[in-house]
């Protein structure tokens, strides 16, 4: 088996791992949830949830991955001493493969819209833009082509290894993403009437805060940081022994939150400037915003063209930083466990995810009969991972790390074998043993409609 490799710098660790957290959800879910749930009040609750659940959960997966310095399946197996806990790693790998399969479909849509924007954009009224998306997503060839193309682009990065592939790409993609986001935020906030959008996003409205808002914030914190997918565990297996796990988790969480807030500052001012109430999900990205760009910059067609191209380039970059991390999870397991080269392991992952992606893409229009439990195959995969596999995997990981793994192992990793101050270790152990499992269980039961 070839050398696993490792990240070559602290910056590489932060950018690569932050890239795994920053994705399309930052653009189409967080801003909408913030605006509808009290603006700055929601952000404050979200930050509390990040510290209560997100950071302890991240550190937990970091500890498991770095301690074993192996793929996720092997990491859990090593720490479980052959007990059934080892299945958690395999479950995380399977979860990530399913997510990559359907995520690549939406990422492929972004590639198509970037291509269309480069050719001159999608022009017409709201009904035309909506019809364009319906016809494109229902086509049996185009969406499938772009889905496979996106997975292959991801493959080309991952197959080059940790330093020459993942780390190098992250050092290019993340700064590009940040610069594009700044340009788009400035352009959006400079439009007439943009202040109403800024106010809608950032003005605290505590009257909207209830138990549902708190659960939404808790759930967003959980899913935004890729908890329960084995991603953090896999990346941590490439960390050096000098990496400060708590500090890294905090920095990554802050980067993820800042980018999500900036995405809101990009979307809401432009939408309010032309009197459009932003929706959430795919309709926001592929129906509402093309119309917003067209209206907002209609008197300046060149500017509108550039903004549209930059926006979809931003989405492609955000999606790519996430798909790279998801691809690496399965690649690492296949090439290490099958005792083959990284290249062969990456192809096993790529082919498997392409098959899932093809079924997901076809189920969105060309073959609606591809469905399970009254959901098209893409929505079924989304619900299966987000509402079952991820919360269960993360809940079990907290129990495993907090109550089964020897306390000394956790303490040694947390303090880098005594070289860092361990004054917060007691607090961390309490959070991962008690608070995090209760929070995750609450989210899980809420999603199932128990309360």
């Amino acid at each position: 088996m070839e050398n696993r490799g490792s990240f070559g710098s602290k910056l590489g660790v932060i950018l690569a791992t932050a890239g795994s957290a920053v994705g399309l959800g930052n653009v189409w879910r967080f801003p909408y949830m913030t605006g509808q749930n009290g603006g700055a009040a929601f952000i404050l609750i979200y930050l509390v949830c990040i510290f209560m659940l997100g950071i302890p959960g991240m550190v937990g997966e970091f500890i498991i991955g770095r301690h074993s310095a192996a793929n996720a399946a092997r990491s859990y197996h090593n720490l479980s001493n052959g007990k059934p806990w080892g299945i958690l790693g395999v479950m995380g790998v399977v979860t990530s493969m399913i997510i990559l399969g359907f995520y690549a479909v939406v990422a492929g849509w972004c590639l198509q819209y970037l291509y269309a924007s480069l050719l001159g954009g999608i022009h017409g009224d709201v009904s035309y833009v909506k019809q364009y998306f319906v016809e494109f997503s229902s086509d049996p060839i185009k969406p499938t082509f772009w889905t496979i193309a996106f997975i292959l682009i991801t493959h080309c990065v991952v197959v080059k290894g940790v330093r020459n592939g993942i780390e190098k790409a992250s050092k290019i993609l993340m700064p590009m993403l940040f610069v594009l986001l700044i340009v788009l935020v400035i352009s959006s906030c400079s439009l007439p009437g943009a202040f109403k959008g800024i106010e809608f996003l950032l003005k605290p409205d505590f009257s909207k805060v209830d138990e549902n808002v708190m659960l939404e914030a808790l759930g967003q914190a959980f899913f935004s940081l890729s908890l329960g997918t084995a991603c953090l565990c896999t990346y941590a297996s490439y960390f050096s022994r000098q990496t400060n796990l708590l500090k890294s988790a905090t920095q990554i969480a802050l980067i993820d939150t800042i980018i999500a807030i900036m995405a809101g500052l990009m979307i809401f001012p432009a939408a309010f400037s032309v009197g459009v109430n932003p929706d959430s999900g795919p309709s926001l990205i592929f129906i509402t915003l093309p119309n917003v760009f067209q209206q907002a910059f209609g008197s300046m067609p060149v500017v509108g063209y550039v903004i549209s191209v930059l926006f979809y380039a931003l989405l492609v970059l955000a999606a790519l930083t996430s798909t790279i991390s998801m691809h690496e999870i399965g690649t690492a397991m296949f090439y290490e466990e099958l005792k083959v080269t990284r290249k062969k392991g990456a192809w096993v992952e790529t082919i498997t995810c392409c098959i899932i992606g093809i079924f997901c893409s076809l189920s969105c229009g060309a073959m609606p009969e591809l469905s399970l439990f009254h959901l098209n195959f893409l929505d079924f995969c989304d619900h299966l991972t987000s509402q079952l596999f991820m919360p269960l995997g993360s809940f079990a990981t907290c129990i495993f790390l907090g109550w089964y793994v020897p306390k000394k192992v956790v303490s040694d990793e947390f303090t880098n074998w005594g070289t860092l101050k361990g004054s917060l270790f007691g607090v961390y152990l309490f959070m991962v043993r008690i608070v995090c499992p209760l929070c995750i269980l609450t989210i899980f039961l809420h999603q199932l409609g128990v309360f």
Side-chain angles (χ1 to χ4, degrees):
M1 186 179 71
E2 60 193 75
N3 192 343
R4 298 190 78 249
S6 62
F7 289 116
S9 65
K10 292 180 180 179
L11 180 63
V13 168
I14 299 301
L15 292 181
T17 315
S20 72
V22 173
L24 295 177
N26 292 70
V27 179
W28 77 25
R29 191 167 188 263
F30 183 87
Y32 177 81
M33 291 178 65
T34 301
Q36 293 294 316
N37 292 307
F42 177 84
I43 294 174
L44 290 173
I45 296 169
Y46 173 78
L47 288 173
V48 171
C49 294
I50 285 288
F51 282 94
M52 281 179 57
L53 173 62
I55 293 175
M58 290 177 73
V59 172
E61 293 197 29
F62 285 170
I63 288 172
I64 293 170
R66 188 175 71 171
H67 180 78
S68 293
N71 66 80
R74 178 64 54 183
S75 293
Y76 280 89
H77 176 80
N78 289 346
L79 276 171
S80 67
N81 295 318
K83 297 293 193 300
W85 290 107
I87 197 68
L88 289 174
V90 177
M91 181 178 169
V93 175
V94 171
T95 300
S96 70
M97 292 174 73
I98 296 172
I99 292 173
L100 177 53
F102 74 76
Y103 194 92
V105 175
V106 183
W109 295 347
C110 295
L111 266 182
Q112 160 65 24
Y113 271 65
L114 174 59
Y115 174 72
S117 297
L118 286 168
L119 293 182
I122 302 166
H123 302 291
D125 57 20
V126 178
S127 60
Y128 171 79
V129 175
K130 184 175 182 179
Q131 185 63 26
Y132 178 92
F133 176 70
V134 171
E135 290 180 0
F136 163 69
S137 60
S138 300
D139 189 284
I141 304 299
K142 288 182 181 179
T144 304
F145 167 78
W146 289 115
T147 297
I148 295 172
F150 208 98
I151 295 176
L152 289 176
I153 293 170
T154 305
H155 173 95
C156 290
V157 174
V158 173
V159 78
K160 292 182 179 179
V162 179
R163 290 196 189 185
N164 293 326
I166 297 171
E167 183 171 357
K168 188 174 288 186
S170 299
K171 286 182 176 179
I172 296 171
L173 296 177
M174 287 301 288
M176 283 177 62
L177 188 153
F178 197 70
V179 169
L180 287 180
L181 195 51
I182 290 174
V183 171
L184 290 167
V185 167
I186 293 172
S187 301
S188 181
C189 291
S190 62
L191 291 169
F195 181 75
K196 289 182 179 179
I198 299 172
E199 185 179 41
F200 178 74
L201 180 72
L202 297 179
K203 182 180 179 181
D205 183 0
F206 290 98
S207 66
K208 292 184 178 180
V209 175
D210 56 21
E211 63 274 11
N212 279 331
V213 171
M214 292 182 181
L215 286 170
E216 289 285 356
L218 202 57
Q220 178 66 18
F222 172 77
F223 295 115
S224 181
L225 298 176
S226 305
L227 295 172
T229 63
C231 169
L232 302 172
C233 176
T234 301
Y235 269 20
S237 71
Y238 304 124
F239 287 3
S240 75
R241 296 294 176 181
Q242 287 71 48
T243 301
N244 186 322
L245 301 185
L246 179 60
K247 184 178 179 181
S248 297
T250 304
Q251 291 171 334
I252 292 160
L254 287 176
I255 290 172
D256 182 66
T257 303
I258 289 169
I259 289 179
I261 294 171
M262 288 178 68
L265 291 173
M266 169 185 66
I267 292 169
F268 284 110
F272 273 75
S273 175
V274 297
V276 174
N277 188 29
D279 200 346
S280 180
S283 60
L284 169 67
I285 303 300
F286 303 111
I287 298 173
T288 306
L289 287 179
N291 185 54
V292 167
F293 293 147
Q294 187 174 318
Q295 291 186 53
F297 300 99
S299 60
M300 301 175 288
V302 175
V303 176
Y305 170 82
V306 172
I307 293 298
S308 181
V309 170
L310 292 181
F311 175 72
Y312 287 107
L314 171 74
L315 291 184
V316 169
L317 292 180
L320 186 57
T321 58
S322 293
T323 57
I324 288 170
S325 64
M326 286 184 274
H327 195 293
E328 175 61 19
I329 300 166
T331 296
M333 186 188 79
F334 288 127
Y335 92 79
E336 289 177 12
E337 298 305 315
L338 298 178
K339 304 292 192 280
V340 296
T341 63
R342 166 176 275 273
K343 184 177 181 180
K344 289 181 179 178
W347 273 117
V348 174
E349 171 77 5
T350 294
I351 292 169
T352 305
C353 292
C354 279
I355 293 170
I356 297 171
I358 289 169
F359 279 104
C360 288
S361 179
L362 293 174
S363 74
C364 290
M367 297 179 66
E369 63 271 17
L370 289 173
S371 62
L372 288 167
F373 301 102
H374 307 293
L375 295 170
N376 69 47
F377 192 67
L378 187 148
D379 287 339
F380 171 77
C381 289
D382 185 9
H383 280 71
L384 180 68
T385 52
S386 65
Q387 297 193 14
L388 186 64
F389 287 178
M390 288 174 69
L392 282 180
S394 196
F395 175 80
T397 293
C398 289
I399 300 299
F400 173 61
L401 187 73
W403 298 99
Y404 182 83
V405 175
K407 183 178 177 180
K408 187 178 187 309
V409 171
V410 181
S411 176
D412 286 346
E413 290 287 343
F414 188 87
T415 63
N416 285 4
W417 296 269
T419 59
L420 300 173
K421 290 182 179 180
S423 54
L424 292 176
F425 178 69
V427 176
Y428 169 74
L429 199 60
F430 173 75
M431 298 296 288
V432 84
R433 280 181 169 180
I434 306 295
V435 178
C436 290
L438 287 176
C439 288
I440 296 169
L441 184 62
T442 302
I443 298 170
F444 182 61
L445 295 176
H446 176 64
Q447 286 180 331
L448 292 179
V450 176
F451 61 87

